[in-house]
Amino acid sequence: MSNILLAGGAGYIGSHTAAALLDAGYDVVIADNFVNSSPKSVERVEQITGKQIVLYEADVRDADAMKRIFREQKIDAVIHFAGLKAVGESVQKPIMYYRKNLDTVLSLLDAMQETGVNNIIFSSSATVYGEKNPIPYLETMPRGACTNPYSWTKSMTEQILEDAAKADPELSVILLRYFNPIGAHPSGMIGEDPQGIPNNLMPYVTQVAVGKRECLTIFGNDYPTPDGTCRRDYIHVVDLARGHVKAIDYIMQHKGVAVFNLGTGIPYSVTEIVETFERVNGVKVNHVYGPRRAGDLPEFYANSDKAREVLGWQTEKTLDDMCRDSWNWQKQNPNGYRV
């Protein structure tokens, strides 16, 4: 069976994808420097699946380290998760974001070229659609005017990969544009473990519910949406992970560049998330409404018809599942992977 390298594979989405790949019969190699992740997530994936992962503690920007991994492990395809991902931090530290997030893909492409590996899947983002495209977002829409350096690094990485594939007809590229991943593995053994103050809604909700934080501030309740709060396309991370397995199946058979949205196509508001979380789990989430946050769009969501038609993928989990599994992870791991 094929050997898949997950660059940055110990993180939230990477660890769930590792579990899904192992369950599907693939072998998994992970390279991660653990800046935003923990080796414990890898151990737990092994416990969940009963299978071994080859783990390298390595910075994906280190081209020599990557070449060594490619030489030591017969890699058939790469899924590229590595990079910094906090929107607010990217605005404060743009040079660091451009340096780190673009260096990772360049190092990977160098190593792939030198060792004859021709398949790469990139963990991209719906934020590449920018502010101007109408919703729902379609893969045929142009990459838009991004609103922050993090989003620009996703857009630029897509461009780098497209240009590399244009120059090398042997190179196959899949760009997976995620919407808003939440939830956790139903075992409660792996989940989202943000360092410091969470940048994303769901881990903030769960940390308030578990008593780690006092109150959730919802940014803006005067948007042109049904309840005045922002609406997003939330997708269960297990559904998202299955999308990567389908993408690996596909890339082994096809050349060139393909782009797929991975979302549910159903937008939920921040207030709906909080209310659903409280109802499903029987817990209270203290929250207040604050002013709008700069750069937030009122709503966006996916059209994922292409992923359904071409990859044979569709979401299976409901919002109730997302809220239940998020709480199950947080209850069992109040401090994440830290004891």
Side-chain angles (χ1 to χ4, degrees):
M1 185 47 95
S2 302
N3 212 18
I4 314 301
L5 173 66
L6 307 189
Y12 174 44
I13 299 167
S15 59
H16 286 83
T17 300
L21 286 166
L22 290 166
D23 284 342
Y26 287 99
D27 293 321
V28 171
V29 178
I30 288 177
D32 203 299
N33 63 2
F34 305 121
V35 166
N36 284 320
S37 59
S38 168
K40 286 185 181 171
S41 69
V42 181
E43 292 169 18
R44 293 191 183 181
V45 171
E46 291 179 327
Q47 290 170 28
I48 289 166
T49 61
K51 296 179 180 176
Q52 292 292 118
I53 291 171
V54 178
L55 176 62
Y56 288 85
E57 183 169 358
D59 191 322
V60 178
R61 293 179 301 147
D62 184 341
D64 290 337
M66 290 302 106
K67 287 171 189 173
R68 180 169 65 85
I69 293 168
F70 278 93
R71 283 194 295 266
E72 290 177 2
Q73 308 293 328
K74 171 86 175 59
I75 302 296
D76 296 291
V78 178
I79 306 182
H80 175 25
F81 297 105
L84 301 173
K85 60 178 187 177
V87 168
E89 183 183 54
S90 79
V91 174
Q92 294 160 358
K93 301 176 180 177
I95 295 167
M96 180 174 82
Y97 266 69
Y98 286 118
R99 168 78 68 195
K100 293 191 174 181
N101 286 4
L102 297 181
D103 277 358
T104 53
V105 71
L106 296 171
S107 294
L108 279 172
L109 286 170
D110 276 347
M112 289 171 64
Q113 195 168 39
E114 191 169 295
T115 54
V117 178
N118 293 317
N119 300 308
I120 183 168
I121 294 169
F122 176 51
S123 160
S124 192
S125 162
T127 60
V128 302
Y129 289 109
E131 293 185 292
K132 302 288 193 291
N133 284 311
I135 47 178
Y137 294 151
L138 285 161
E139 294 89 346
T140 50
M141 291 175 178
R143 282 189 290 264
C146 297
T147 57
N148 56 74
Y150 160 77
S151 304
W152 276 117
T153 66
K154 292 294 189 185
S155 180
M156 289 174 179
T157 300
E158 286 196 6
Q159 187 67 52
I160 289 166
L161 288 166
E162 286 175 354
D163 289 344
K166 205 178 291 180
D168 179 1
E170 288 302 303
L171 183 63
S172 295
V173 171
I174 293 182
L175 308 174
L176 296 180
R177 292 176 179 164
Y178 307 162
F179 281 70
N180 289 66
I182 59 175
H185 193 272
S187 66
M189 291 177 67
I190 55 173
E192 190 168 7
D193 181 24
Q195 314 289 309
I197 298 170
N199 293 295
N200 297 326
L201 173 64
M202 186 55 85
Y204 212 108
V205 167
T206 62
Q207 288 189 13
V208 171
V210 87
K212 271 189 85 169
R213 301 196 182 276
E214 281 187 25
C215 187
L216 167 73
T217 299
I218 296 174
F219 298 110
N221 61 348
D222 58 348
Y223 284 97
T225 60
D227 64 21
T229 61
C230 289
R231 301 207 305 169
R232 296 289 181 266
D233 186 339
Y234 293 95
I235 176 172
H236 197 297
V237 68
V238 170
D239 280 335
L240 188 63
R242 286 192 308 99
H244 291 74
V245 177
K246 294 287 192 183
I248 284 288
D249 295 342
Y250 182 83
I251 205 170
M252 299 299 190
Q253 313 296 329
H254 297 83
K255 293 288 177 203
V257 179
V259 185
F260 297 100
N261 287 336
L262 295 182
T264 65
I266 304 166
Y268 291 104
S269 73
V270 179
T271 298
E272 284 178 289
I273 294 286
V274 172
E275 289 175 350
T276 304
F277 187 91
E278 291 181 328
R279 173 180 58 77
V280 167
N281 298 311
V283 293
K284 187 86 183 85
V285 178
N286 295 324
H287 59 280
V288 295
Y289 293 96
R292 293 186 183 192
R293 188 170 55 180
D296 277 346
L297 298 175
E299 64 178 349
F300 61 80
Y301 51 95
N303 179 315
S304 296
D305 289 351
K306 185 180 176 186
R308 189 182 71 250
E309 291 159 9
V310 177
L311 299 181
W313 170 88
Q314 59 188 17
T315 58
E316 296 172 357
K317 305 277 192 179
T318 65
L319 183 60
D320 283 18
D321 295 327
M322 300 179 212
C323 291
R324 187 182 301 109
D325 291 341
S326 295
W327 180 231
N328 186 35
W329 152 254
Q330 186 74 72
K331 266 192 313 185
Q332 290 189 44
N333 304 273
N335 297 308
Y337 294 112
R338 295 168 295 283
V339 177

